[in-house]
Amino acid sequence: MDSHYDVVIAGGGLAGLTLALQLKQRNPALTIFIAEKSKKPAPEASHKVGESSVEIASHYFRNSLKLDSILDQQLPKYGLRFYFSQHGNHNIEQRFELGANQIPSFRSYQIDRGRFENQLLERCQSLGIHVSYGNTVTRINLGQQRHEIEIKQLGNSQSISCCWLIDASGRRALLKHQLNLFKPSNHQINAVWFRIDSTLDINTWSSDPYWQKRVSIPRLLGTNHLVGKGYWIWIIPLSSDATSIGIVTDASLHDFDSLNAYQKALAWMHHHEPQCAGLIQKTKPIDFLCLQQLALQSKQLYSDQGWFITGDAGLFADPLYSSGNDFIAINNTLITDLITGGYSEKAFKQRLQFNQHLMHKLFLGFMQIYQNQYPILGNARIMTLKIIWDFSVYWGSIALIFIQNRIDSNDFMETASRFLSNVFSVNFEVQTLLRDWASRDNHQLQQPGFVNYSAIPFLQGLNNKFEQAYKDDELLAELNKNYQLLTELASELRFQASLEYSDLISQTSPSSTPDSCHLQTVFEQLKTNSI
């Protein structure tokens, strides 16, 4: 083993392996060492959050990292599907459903993390990246231009120096601990998750002919969510024929002590989700983990001394909408830009400050989607509108920017950053409106209806534009067009809320008759099915 490398990455999970691969592809001359704590490659159905990828992460894996052959061994993902609590949750066909009824045009995946990371490891090693397992990082000595870490393996210690040091150690957060970079999160959620040894196909939960026929694509291959007040449950199929089950709860609405062991979690599910619990108890659990305070922040991610933080070692918002892998993709791309960009010292510091500001801006902007919003989960009407809005914000802004490969384009992002500020401003307003609206709303959906979001024209339009070719000026024009769409959607939501609660709007923004009618069909579907 050499004692000096260009790059040392502490952590050989998804964040560390993908960053190493991205760096090596960008600059094959880089020497890279990965120190991983685990003693051997991960088993299939490995016990890690982040098995579902959406558009940004999928583009990162397939296009940025060229992992086509690896991804083709994973299950395809047919969008997100939600089933809202109704009639005690004993029969799936009695629940209101939101989902797609056609295969998305942009590919995404359900990822068996063990299989995926083992293949990433093989790809890294084939490129000459040194990956060492069973290491404990016992010391990190940060310097101005050279860093040194001490690792212990099988009782033997060794010092390794590097020019660039990356902390991808997950929730061990080596640098965050050492440098006291912890920043409190105001998003208090907890999670438990486990794998079962068989496929839990939600499409077999009911034999009702109408329920079976109203969706023509396999429900199994969607990321299925069971949703109730203050909680949601994910059901994700894995290519190893296991199923991942996760329960995410608002800490103020569900006691963590009632969930923090497998039998406790199963009892909790029997109370809140009896149909699902009854099916799970017939299977065998592979593993079980629980975690309090899932959301994470960090005061700093980058340093002009040449160290960086990525993955859960730095930021994590919420597993809903699978944002964790997206932030890995964005952060790794910005780090790769800094390490391989060939910047002068002055330009490097300027770019580093901009990238760090951008990461925090994106994180705080998208935290608005989650923070204080879990009470809305129990309201099928408002939550349906929220999900459609959240998709619109994501597809119309950062997802389009990333998929168009502009996130590390200096000149473009200087302008696009102002666009993002405008998007996050209207998003904050709408998230506040939705929260206040749900807190007053007493309308319960009477019929077990279905909203097919793949049939909503403006959503399909946003999704279909990802892989079009845009010049910079054309892409900026498209982003501004999307911002106009968001302002029109916000106007429609304000107006609909004012029809039900006239005094609600006076607390946020004035309401007037909107010029657009993008959401009219959805409003009618929700009205038809409400008391």
Side-chain angles (χ1 to χ4, degrees):
M1 184 191 300
D2 296 333
S3 61
H4 180 78
Y5 292 82
D6 296 318
V7 180
V8 169
I9 301 175
L14 182 66
L17 290 170
T18 52
L19 178 56
L21 185 58
Q22 190 172 13
L23 287 167
K24 194 70 170 177
Q25 290 175 342
R26 187 72 61 89
N27 183 356
L30 285 174
T31 57
I32 303 174
F33 177 87
I34 300 176
E36 167 56 28
K37 184 179 180 181
S38 66
K39 295 182 179 180
K40 59 182 179 180
E44 291 192 346
S46 185
H47 205 181
K48 299 182 179 184
V49 170
E51 296 149 322
S52 179
S53 70
V54 286
E55 285 78 10
I56 287 177
S58 297
H59 176 82
Y60 179 63
F61 297 146
R62 178 171 285 276
N63 299 94
S64 301
L65 301 183
K66 311 300 182 186
L67 299 176
D68 306 56
S69 61
I70 294 177
L71 289 168
D72 288 343
Q73 300 176 49
Q74 302 290 335
L75 293 177
K77 173 179 173 178
Y78 293 166
L80 283 72
R81 194 168 295 278
F82 300 84
Y83 307 87
F84 298 99
S85 290
Q86 205 160 346
H87 305 300
N89 297 336
H90 293 280
N91 298 293
I92 193 74
E93 73 271 13
Q94 294 181 1
R95 303 177 72 154
F96 191 85
E97 180 179 2
L98 170 67
N101 199 20
Q102 65 184 60
I103 297 174
S105 59
F106 193 91
R107 285 180 288 184
S108 58
Y109 306 90
Q110 311 284 24
I111 294 177
D112 184 310
R113 285 284 296 274
R115 178 176 295 182
F116 189 58
E117 290 182 21
N118 289 340
Q119 292 171 323
L120 280 176
L121 166 65
E122 292 174 2
R123 182 69 60 90
C124 285
Q125 290 175 324
S126 72
L127 295 176
I129 296 167
H130 190 123
V131 185
S132 181
Y133 280 86
N135 296 297
T136 301
V137 177
T138 56
R139 180 176 58 85
I140 298 177
N141 183 23
L142 298 173
Q144 290 296 323
Q145 296 181 344
R146 189 181 180 96
H147 313 296
E148 186 175 276
I149 71 167
E150 182 179 274
I151 62 172
K152 181 178 286 188
Q153 185 182 47
L154 299 175
N156 299 315
S157 295
Q158 180 177 2
S159 292
I160 300 174
S161 63
C162 61
C163 302
W164 308 96
L165 176 65
I166 292 103
D167 182 2
S169 62
R171 289 175 184 266
R172 287 181 293 150
L174 298 174
L175 285 179
K176 195 185 288 187
H177 280 286
Q178 180 168 323
L179 301 176
N180 191 28
L181 298 178
F182 285 90
K183 186 176 182 181
S185 170
N186 294 321
H187 183 44
Q188 300 301 315
I189 57 168
N190 304 319
V192 304
W193 63 100
F194 53 93
R195 277 60 167 172
I196 57 175
D197 64 351
S198 58
T199 299
L200 193 65
D201 185 355
I202 202 164
N203 210 57
T204 66
W205 292 18
S206 173
S207 59
D208 179 77
Y210 172 74
W211 187 82
Q212 287 285 340
K213 291 180 180 179
R214 77 181 182 196
V215 174
S216 58
I217 62 175
R219 287 183 171 95
L220 169 67
L221 293 177
T223 297
N224 289 286
H225 303 71
L226 308 179
V227 183
K229 185 174 182 179
Y231 77 88
W232 61 278
I233 295 173
W234 77 67
I235 302 173
I236 299 175
L238 303 176
S239 57
S240 55
D241 296 327
T243 302
S244 173
I245 310 290
I247 307 170
V248 186
T249 59
D250 184 321
S252 67
L253 297 174
H254 296 274
D255 184 7
F256 184 67
D257 289 340
S258 67
L259 288 156
N260 61 2
Y262 177 72
Q263 291 300 330
K264 289 183 181 180
L266 195 58
W268 182 95
M269 290 184 72
H270 272 294
H271 178 72
H272 294 279
E273 296 288 345
Q275 184 178 23
C276 184
L279 294 168
I280 288 174
Q281 71 180 10
K282 298 177 183 178
T283 68
K284 181 181 178 181
I286 298 172
D287 44 34
F288 181 87
L289 282 176
C290 55
L291 191 64
Q292 287 184 281
Q293 297 180 350
L294 205 59
L296 299 168
Q297 293 194 67
S298 180
K299 296 176 184 176
Q300 187 176 350
L301 296 174
Y302 310 151
S303 169
D304 58 15
Q305 293 181 2
W307 59 259
F308 307 93
I309 302 174
T310 190
D312 287 4
L315 303 173
F316 186 84
D318 193 295
L320 185 64
Y321 305 141
S322 307
S323 63
N325 288 343
D326 281 3
F327 276 100
I328 287 173
I330 295 169
N331 198 16
N332 281 1
T333 300
L334 296 179
I335 292 171
T336 298
D337 165 61
L338 290 167
I339 292 177
T340 65
Y343 296 108
S344 67
E345 181 178 355
K346 180 179 179 181
F348 174 79
K349 290 182 178 180
Q350 291 175 339
R351 187 62 188 165
L352 183 144
Q353 291 175 355
F354 180 85
N355 284 0
Q356 182 152 247
H357 175 73
L358 176 61
M359 275 302 299
H360 283 293
K361 182 176 189 173
L362 290 171
F363 181 78
L364 295 176
F366 279 90
M367 275 295 287
Q368 298 168 358
I369 291 172
Y370 307 110
Q371 198 168 343
N372 301 316
Q373 302 299 75
Y374 267 55
I376 303 178
L377 289 167
N379 187 310
R381 294 176 67 242
I382 310 305
M383 192 64 198
T384 295
L385 296 172
K386 173 174 163 53
I387 292 167
I388 292 169
W389 168 262
D390 294 344
F391 284 4
S392 304
V393 170
Y394 175 72
W395 288 349
S397 61
I398 190 59
L400 181 59
I401 291 171
F402 189 89
I403 291 168
Q404 291 292 318
N405 301 312
R406 298 309 206 287
I407 196 70
D408 57 351
S409 172
N410 298 10
D411 294 339
F412 184 86
M413 289 308 301
E414 289 281 355
T415 303
S417 182
R418 293 190 286 274
F419 156 78
L420 288 170
S421 295
N422 292 334
V423 169
F424 293 146
S425 178
V426 70
N427 183 47
F428 177 79
E429 174 196 330
V430 170
Q431 298 294 343
T432 302
L433 169 66
L434 292 167
R435 182 171 60 250
D436 293 344
W437 190 359
S439 70
R440 297 181 179 212
D441 186 51
N442 294 317
H443 297 85
Q444 297 297 320
L445 295 178
Q446 186 177 28
Q447 302 296 326
F450 171 56
V451 169
N452 171 19
Y453 67 73
S454 60
I456 299 175
F458 73 85
L459 272 184
Q460 282 302 98
L462 291 172
N463 195 265
N464 290 338
K465 292 175 182 176
F466 284 143
E467 296 184 291
Q468 292 185 20
Y470 294 97
K471 297 177 181 178
D472 280 3
D473 58 341
E474 294 171 336
L475 182 55
L476 288 170
E478 191 65 36
L479 291 171
N480 287 327
K481 180 180 175 182
N482 292 345
Y483 174 67
Q484 179 61 36
L485 169 65
L486 291 175
T487 62
E488 292 170 0
L489 294 176
S491 177
E492 292 181 44
L493 290 168
R494 281 195 300 269
F495 183 71
Q496 183 65 27
S498 72
L499 294 179
E500 299 179 21
Y501 307 98
S502 59
D503 61 329
L504 177 64
I505 302 304
S506 64
Q507 299 175 18
T508 54
S509 301
S511 175
S512 58
T513 303
D515 296 327
S516 60
C517 55
H518 303 291
L519 292 169
Q520 188 59 42
T521 300
V522 179
F523 290 145
E524 290 173 357
Q525 287 178 290
L526 295 174
K527 182 178 180 181
T528 300
N529 287 288
S530 65
I531 296 175

